Structures are given as C-alpha cells and as structure tokens.
Amino acid sequence: MSWYISAVKCLSRSFKSNNAALSGGRRGLTRIAIVGSGPAGFYTAHHLIKQCDDVRVDIFEALPVPFGLIRFGVAPDHPEVKNVINQFTTLALTDRCRFIGNINIGTDININQLRSYYNGVVLAYGAEEDKTMGIKGEDSYGVFSARSFVSWYNGLPGYENLNLNLSSGDTAVIIGQGNVALDIARILLTPLDTLKETDICSHAVDALSFSKIKKVIMVGRRGPLQVAFTIKELREMTKLPQCKTMIKHKDMLPYKDIISELPRPRKRLTELMLKTSSDGRDISNDDNVLELLFCRSPMEIIARNEITKGIKLEINELIEDANGGNTTAVGSGEYETIDCSMVLRSIGYKSRNIDPEIPFDEKLGIINNSKGRVVNNGTTINGLYCSGWVKRGPTGVILTTMNDAFETAGSIIEDNKNGMLPSSNTARDILNDIKGFEPVLFEDWLKIDEEEKRRGELVGKPREKIVSVLEMLQIIKNNKN
Amino acid sequence: MATMKCLTRAGLLVSRGRLLSTLCCRNIGKTYPKTTSHIFSQNLFKNLQKFNSRQFQPSLSLSTDTSSQKPTKKKPRTVKVTFVDRDGDEITVDAKIGDTLLEVAKEYDVDLEGACEGTLSCSTCHLIVDKNWYEKIPDFLTEEEQDMLDLAFGLTDTSRLGCQIVVSDAIDGIRLKVPTETRDIRNL
C-alpha cells in the first residue's frame, strides 16, 4: 500500500513548503467541486482544505441535508460514530468550503457543465443501489433490501412509507453476515424503550411497536471464518438485553485449534464467536434470539399468494483453494427450508452511473480510476476524480473511507502542483447560473438541524428527523421570510 | 478505596470535559485558519459538554495525581511527550497532565484524526507506542479498545488509541509514532 505513504509524503511536503509549490501551475484559487456530501466527500474536502491554502471547495448534494450515510446509514443507537459530523460542520462553516444541497448532479446539471466551472470535480456519490439475490420469488411481499430497511428507520426521504410486515410472523431471515446485517438485527431485537431515546424516526418506532419478530436468522454463504461483521458489533449484540446470540457450538469446533494461527483481528473475532457458541439449551421462550447460520445459499423464496412464507436454502461445502487463501462455497445438492415472514437481503450495495460521460465499470459497480484519477480506456481524464465507495466499492468503515479520500485528495494536490488541472471558467460562480433550482446552503441546513433538534427535545430524543424534502424546503423558506 | 477511585474518575471527567472543549474550539481556528463562525464554536462546546457527561468512558485504571485535576488558576503541570509524525519528524511537546494523548495531538496540530471525538467508536487516533514505553502506560488496555484497534491500519503489538491514554507522570518522556503503514480491513 505504498500509495498511502506517498500520498502522505506528498501532502506533508506540500504543507511544509507553505503551499508555494501548489500554485505552481496556475495563479489564483483552485476551485474543486465534490459530488456527494457523505464521509467520502467531506473527508476529501477536509484534506484538500487542510493541506492547501489556495483551494476552494463546493460540495454538492442531491438532498437538502448533508452527511450522506453518516445521517442515513449509521445506526441510530451508534450516536458516537456520528460525532464526525462536528468536524464536517466546522469545515462547512469556513469560507473555503460551501455546501450546495438540493442540486442533483447528473440530472439538474451534467458532469461537463459542472466541470466548466471548476478546475477539478470529485465524484463521491457512493453506492445507492443494492445487489439482488436473483432467485425465484424475490419480488414477493416480505422481501426487502437491507438498504431500504436502513433508509426507512434512518429517515431517508422516500422510504418513510415502506410497508414492512413486522407483525405477520415471528421470524426474519437476513441474507448476509456483515455489519449492516447486524445493524438490522439489532434494530429488530432491541427493546423499544432503548430505541425510543435515539434519533430513530418516529414512524419506525410506531411500526416496531407492533413487531412480533422474536427471532432473526443471519445466513452466510460461507463459514465462521468468513463473516464480514466486525468484533465491536458482535460484542454489542452478545450484550443486548433480553436477547441471546445463538452460534452453534458444533459449527465453531472445527476452528478451535487453528484460532491461534489467525491474524489478530480474525483471531479475536473467532474467539468471541467460539466463546458465545452454545448448544442452545440456555435459550428460553421469552428471549429474543439472533442466530448465525453458516454455509447456506438462498435458492428460492417460498411464497403463497405472493406473500413470503419461508426461504429455501442450499447447504454448502467449503473448499479451500490450493494456496489455502480463498475459501469458496460449493452447493452440496442438499436443501432446507426455514419458515419466516420476512427476508432481508444484505449482500452489498452497488453504485450507479449518474452520467454517460463517466467511464463506469458496470460489472464491478465502480468508476474506472487510478488512485482516484478517473481513467477512460487507459487515458486519465484531467480534472476528474472519484472518492469513497464509487471509487473502490461499497466496503469498509469510516476509517477506510477516510484513507481513501486522503489518497484522492493527494492525487489532486499532486496534479495541481504539476499544472495538470484544466483552467476552466472559475471566475463564474455556479450559484449565479443555476436559476430555477433551489440550492440549499449550509446555513439553510442549520435551520433544518435546529428544527429537528427542537422536535426531538419535545419527545425526549436527540432529534426527530424531517423526512419530507418539501417540508425541509418549507422550513428554510419560513426562516427567510 | 472504591469511593476514592470514583472521586478520581469524576474529577478527571470534569477536567477532561473542560479541556477537550476548549482544545477543540481552539483547534478549529488552527486547522481551518479562515473560520468565520463563532456560533458553531458555542454549539460544539455544548455538544461536547453533553457527550462528556453522557458518553465518555474513562479508562479503568488511572494513576494520575488527583490534586492536579482540580481546576486551579495555576499553570497546569506538564510532562514531555514526543510524537513521530508520518514524515518521521519528531515533535516534542509539553503535554498537560490529565489530557488524553488525542487532546495533546490536537492542541499541537499533530496529524491525528479522532473522528469519534474520543468515544471509542473509531480507530483514527491510532498510535504506535515505543516498545520500552508500552508496558509503562498505566491506562489499562480494555477489550473495547482492542476491538477498535483490530480495525486500525498498520496494527502492531504496541498499538494504542490516543484517546484512551491519559497524560500522567508515569509517561513523562513517552515516544509515540503516528502510523504510516496501511492494512486494509478487507484483508482481515
């Protein structure tokens, strides 16, 4: 991972030379537009602004509210993770960074129009679609994507009316064993009184109060050594009140002797799984249960009148490749069916292409790039960059995105130093030219923020998110009048 | 004895809250020199006070001198702490007793992130402690800190999180490295 070191060196050097080298290619300010205001967008802006005095950054966002998955992805019962918003807010309040919300790049303004105003454009719009299982019955009522479920409880506009069938059965199956799957399981199994004190949307609390779900089964294609969730999230689950985490002891036994040879993070995670595992006899009927089920692939949603009644799974065998590196799951030809009223697929997100001008790898679901520089058929497009999930795929925690944004910012700084950024018509301010749209600036967001906190205070929670874009815009208007 | 410990912890909480708030506010100006808003500083101050009272978990064992934690008008006592930054440059600073190493790094503009503001929810304040200093740190390495360290880039046997180490006489002269190596969490 030498890119990281070289990016750091480059940034530090630039910083230490008091930015003299940075304006080498061109006189005056360097204007950068970032598409997307999630962690990738804000961290890219953060590094650019921190390292270069002559950079001005505009962050574009399709919604009137900033912060992307920090607001709409991070679980409501993980408020500490959202503290990074304070840092982003500080940045957005400087006169070197502007937030321009409610403008959809790709629809309202295309990439080439945007590029004509800026020396550089960074695509950091994340991954807003999700992968499908591609199995029979997947369209049945009762099958939901993890993405829509998360968007629903976190108040992403357009998801507030998601009609979840929480009261038609006691078992939900989640396909996938990552942190998103654990977030969903936790929301389904946490005592409601605990959730009520978080910034979870009130429509979600209302619906969850009718939930009959007592058991969540998290299904993985491969074995215990391949789970994608991280230890903090599993430990949290094992400590959840009135809930038992069920990992079958016999599933863990084959790994008992090799745990000590695993790399530290995997070792500690597997140790915790082994310690948690049991024969299940300690589980009483009153307990909520999270069960981890390994070596199963979804084959078919069993439905009656297009309503989910169960899921058919194929039992897999694990094959290690010759080097002992990659473990693959191979269907055994044996099947089993689990009765359940709800199936949530949590097998990954996918980016989409927002403009035909962008060289997009449909198969990998990412923008073709080299260290964040967008590349078309082997040729770098000067002044076009990408950062975050749209650059490397939808995996990792905030730290991963931070390092990734750091790399892209490093590439921009290096290109600027070498005079590689297009000159563009940076004297014009795009805000003067986008008449007919209603751009939302950061100070407008602060009004929405204030109102959300006020509404939250009335019901004893940190905030009550506003989920309607029209209502958000109305609050801004009311404050201007 | 138990009461004593509780009192010590409470004292630390108060003083840490005060310090963190002022440090962060001061740091805004440092990091982004052209900050315009003062309103936010106040909001941030409030937020930090809130999070300090509710979410901040002090480390389990602390051997710091309690008398230095009481808010006094005297100049706070300091000890020497050396950071080695990503370029390999050494920065030796006067670290206030009672501050966390994350707060010290922020105060002196050492390039350390601290995205979750010291609430043990990220690993962006990862530091590599010099081998001969590692065992001397009085702050106990908790399971929760280890869980977060497991996600850190460039994890070593002497890795710690800056937010979990409180400056005390016991670590006067400590040397810490900001990691440069990377290890992708996906290769876990």
Side-chain angles (χ1 to χ4, degrees):
Chain A
M1 284 282 177
S2 59
W3 62 261
Y4 182 82
I5 298 162
S6 58
V8 170
K9 291 254 183 229
C10 160
L11 284 175
S12 310
R13 262 203 307 275
S14 316
F15 191 57
K16 281 175 184 167
S17 62
N18 205 17
N19 298 301
L22 290 170
S23 46
R26 194 178 343 92
R27 277 186 206 161
L29 296 176
T30 302
R31 295 199 183 274
I32 305 289
I34 294 175
V35 182
S37 69
F42 262 103
Y43 266 125
T44 308
H46 169 78
H47 286 295
L48 282 171
I49 288 175
K50 199 172 172 185
Q51 305 299 337
C52 319
D53 286 342
D54 63 349
V55 166
R56 296 291 179 272
V57 179
D58 286 346
I59 302 177
F60 288 87
E61 168 59 52
L63 289 166
V65 292
F67 309 133
L69 281 189
I70 304 281
R71 178 180 162 104
F72 296 116
V74 174
D77 55 346
H78 287 168
E80 323 81 44
V81 179
K82 299 187 199 191
N83 281 346
V84 71
I85 283 178
N86 293 334
Q87 195 184 348
F88 295 161
T89 298
T90 313
L91 179 66
L93 285 170
T94 67
D95 54 8
R96 299 174 59 196
C97 180
R98 282 193 303 187
F99 168 79
I100 305 175
N102 203 30
I103 300 291
N104 197 336
I105 305 298
T107 314
D108 300 344
I109 299 169
N110 68 38
I111 288 294
N112 281 340
Q113 285 169 326
L114 186 67
R115 291 186 69 201
S116 71
Y117 288 87
Y118 295 92
N119 304 111
V121 168
V122 184
L123 304 163
Y125 58 80
E128 58 185 291
E129 290 180 0
D130 67 288
K131 288 179 186 153
T132 54
M133 299 181 283
I135 59 171
K136 194 180 160 197
E138 198 166 345
D139 299 335
S140 309
Y141 178 63
V143 180
F144 301 94
S145 68
R147 156 140 256 148
S148 57
F149 190 87
V150 171
S151 300
W152 168 74
Y153 65 65
N154 273 335
L156 182 68
Y159 287 85
E160 61 276 21
N161 295 321
L162 189 70
N163 187 12
L164 294 157
N165 56 337
L166 292 163
S167 54
S168 51
D170 63 0
T171 304
V173 168
I174 305 178
I175 303 298
Q177 292 181 330
N179 281 338
V180 176
L182 270 184
D183 278 351
I184 293 175
R186 213 175 54 251
I187 296 294
L188 285 170
L189 298 172
T190 298
L192 201 58
D193 285 342
T194 310
L195 287 181
K196 274 181 185 166
E197 291 171 8
T198 71
D199 69 359
I200 190 171
C201 291
S202 56
H203 61 246
V205 171
D206 292 345
L208 285 166
S209 69
F210 293 104
S211 171
K212 286 191 180 138
I213 305 283
K214 282 189 69 66
K215 185 174 188 181
V216 175
I217 304 172
M218 263 172 66
V219 178
R221 209 160 41 86
R222 296 186 289 168
L225 291 190
Q226 286 81 36
V227 293
F229 52 71
T230 44
I231 189 165
K232 184 190 179 226
E233 278 71 15
L234 179 66
R235 197 185 299 283
E236 189 181 6
M237 201 69 223
T238 62
K239 290 179 177 171
L240 200 65
Q242 295 147 45
C243 182
K244 291 267 162 62
T245 299
M246 170 67 198
I247 300 172
K248 288 191 197 84
H249 193 55
K250 69 175 174 58
D251 287 345
M252 296 307 301
L253 268 184
Y255 305 100
K256 203 176 171 183
D257 295 333
I258 60 154
I259 287 181
S260 59
E261 297 158 27
L262 298 169
R264 171 175 151 172
R266 180 61 72 188
K267 176 175 160 237
R268 294 187 67 248
L269 178 59
T270 311
E271 272 168 357
L272 179 63
M273 287 167 71
L274 178 66
K275 200 180 115 198
T276 309
S277 68
S278 69
D279 54 11
R281 263 181 275 177
D282 60 328
I283 294 169
S284 79
N285 283 339
D286 296 335
D287 289 328
N288 282 341
V289 177
L290 168 73
E291 184 181 335
L292 264 59
L293 193 57
F294 302 107
C295 299
R296 303 286 191 280
S297 289
M299 299 308 287
E300 184 186 339
I301 302 295
I302 312 291
R304 205 176 308 134
N305 299 329
E306 295 179 359
I307 295 171
T308 302
K309 296 290 173 196
I311 184 165
K312 184 179 167 187
L313 304 168
E314 181 171 19
I315 300 167
N316 294 328
E317 281 161 10
L318 295 181
I319 315 263
E320 264 189 44
D321 73 6
N323 318 321
N326 228 349
T327 303
T328 46
V330 180
S332 69
E334 282 181 53
Y335 302 89
E336 69 177 8
T337 301
I338 297 174
D339 292 337
C340 62
S341 53
M342 187 188 254
V343 173
L344 294 139
R345 57 165 185 265
S346 182
I347 49 176
Y349 293 161
K350 204 169 73 178
S351 294
R352 65 185 183 92
N353 194 1
I354 58 162
D355 191 305
E357 292 294 317
I358 300 170
F360 195 81
D361 187 327
E362 292 291 347
K363 204 173 154 218
L364 296 175
I366 57 170
I367 296 171
N368 292 323
N369 75 90
S370 164
K371 292 185 179 177
R373 297 179 178 95
V374 176
V375 176
N376 190 14
N377 293 325
T379 314
T380 304
I381 303 178
N382 284 347
L384 192 59
Y385 302 86
C386 56
S387 184
W389 279 4
V390 77
K391 167 186 171 190
R392 68 166 201 280
T395 52
V397 292
I398 289 177
L399 172 75
T400 333
T401 290
M402 185 187 93
N403 282 312
D404 185 84
F406 202 65
E407 183 194 53
T408 296
S411 294
I412 298 171
I413 290 167
E414 193 178 290
D415 291 352
N416 193 18
K417 197 172 72 180
N418 295 331
M420 299 293 282
L421 295 185
S423 42
S424 304
N425 189 8
T426 51
R428 286 182 77 98
D429 184 349
I430 196 165
L431 278 185
N432 296 330
D433 288 0
I434 46 173
K435 299 274 187 288
F437 296 104
E438 285 183 81
V440 171
L441 302 182
F442 204 78
E443 65 214 49
D444 301 326
W445 146 249
L446 290 180
K447 297 293 175 210
I448 299 172
D449 186 42
E450 208 174 284
E451 176 63 15
E452 287 186 343
K453 284 178 180 159
R454 192 190 65 81
R455 291 184 193 185
E457 211 167 306
L458 296 176
V459 289
K461 51 203 265 195
R463 76 170 65 231
E464 181 64 61
K465 286 182 191 167
I466 294 162
V467 292
S468 149
V469 169
L470 283 177
E471 198 182 344
M472 291 173 185
L473 298 178
Q474 193 57 50
I475 288 168
I476 296 168
K477 265 187 206 147
N478 294 347
N479 272 286
K480 278 181 180 161
N481 292 337
Chain B
M1 190 59 199
T3 330
M4 271 295 283
K5 263 188 190 163
C6 272
L7 283 173
T8 315
R9 257 193 245 172
L12 260 178
L13 261 178
V14 173
S15 88
R16 263 201 235 174
R18 185 172 46 82
L19 285 166
L20 187 62
S21 309
T22 46
L23 286 179
C24 283
C25 293
R26 208 182 309 159
N27 199 51
I28 293 164
K30 244 182 209 173
T31 316
Y32 312 115
K34 290 169 190 172
T35 307
T36 48
S37 170
H38 305 286
I39 307 160
F40 175 70
S41 304
Q42 286 163 8
N43 282 343
L44 181 70
F45 189 81
K46 268 188 229 155
N47 284 344
L48 284 167
Q49 279 180 324
K50 217 184 281 170
F51 110 73
N52 264 300
S53 60
R54 281 216 327 249
Q55 291 159 358
F56 200 94
Q57 294 177 338
S59 310
L60 290 178
S61 74
L62 299 164
S63 69
T64 29
D65 178 8
T66 48
S67 62
S68 67
Q69 305 308 325
K70 286 175 193 162
T72 53
K73 282 179 187 170
K74 276 185 202 164
K75 205 180 159 195
R77 282 208 306 124
T78 59
V79 299
K80 296 284 180 204
V81 168
T82 300
F83 293 98
V84 183
D85 75 7
R86 293 186 164 107
D87 270 355
D89 296 341
E90 289 200 7
I91 311 155
T92 301
V93 301
D94 295 317
K96 288 193 209 78
I97 286 180
D99 279 11
T100 66
L101 287 179
L102 173 61
E103 290 162 351
V104 175
K106 289 266 172 221
E107 186 181 7
Y108 290 97
D109 244 358
V110 176
D111 203 4
L112 197 66
E113 279 298 328
C116 78
E117 301 181 345
T119 55
L120 256 190
S121 303
C122 73
S123 46
T124 56
C125 65
H126 172 206
L127 289 166
I128 298 167
V129 184
D130 260 20
K131 279 198 181 72
N132 44 349
W133 278 104
Y134 184 73
E135 296 295 334
K136 294 179 191 161
I137 298 173
D139 301 288
F140 181 67
L141 177 65
T142 61
E143 220 167 38
E144 286 73 21
E145 183 181 347
Q146 290 188 61
D147 288 357
M148 290 323 306
L149 276 171
D150 279 357
L151 305 183
F153 285 69
L155 180 69
T156 70
D157 289 340
T158 61
S159 288
R160 289 295 302 259
L161 293 180
C163 68
Q164 297 302 303
I165 302 175
V166 179
V167 176
S168 67
D169 288 322
I171 60 165
D172 190 359
I174 194 171
R175 197 166 169 277
L176 312 123
K177 206 171 162 348
V178 181
T180 49
E181 288 169 66
T182 66
R183 183 189 56 84
D184 200 302
I185 183 183
R186 282 167 293 174
N187 302 329
L188 188 104

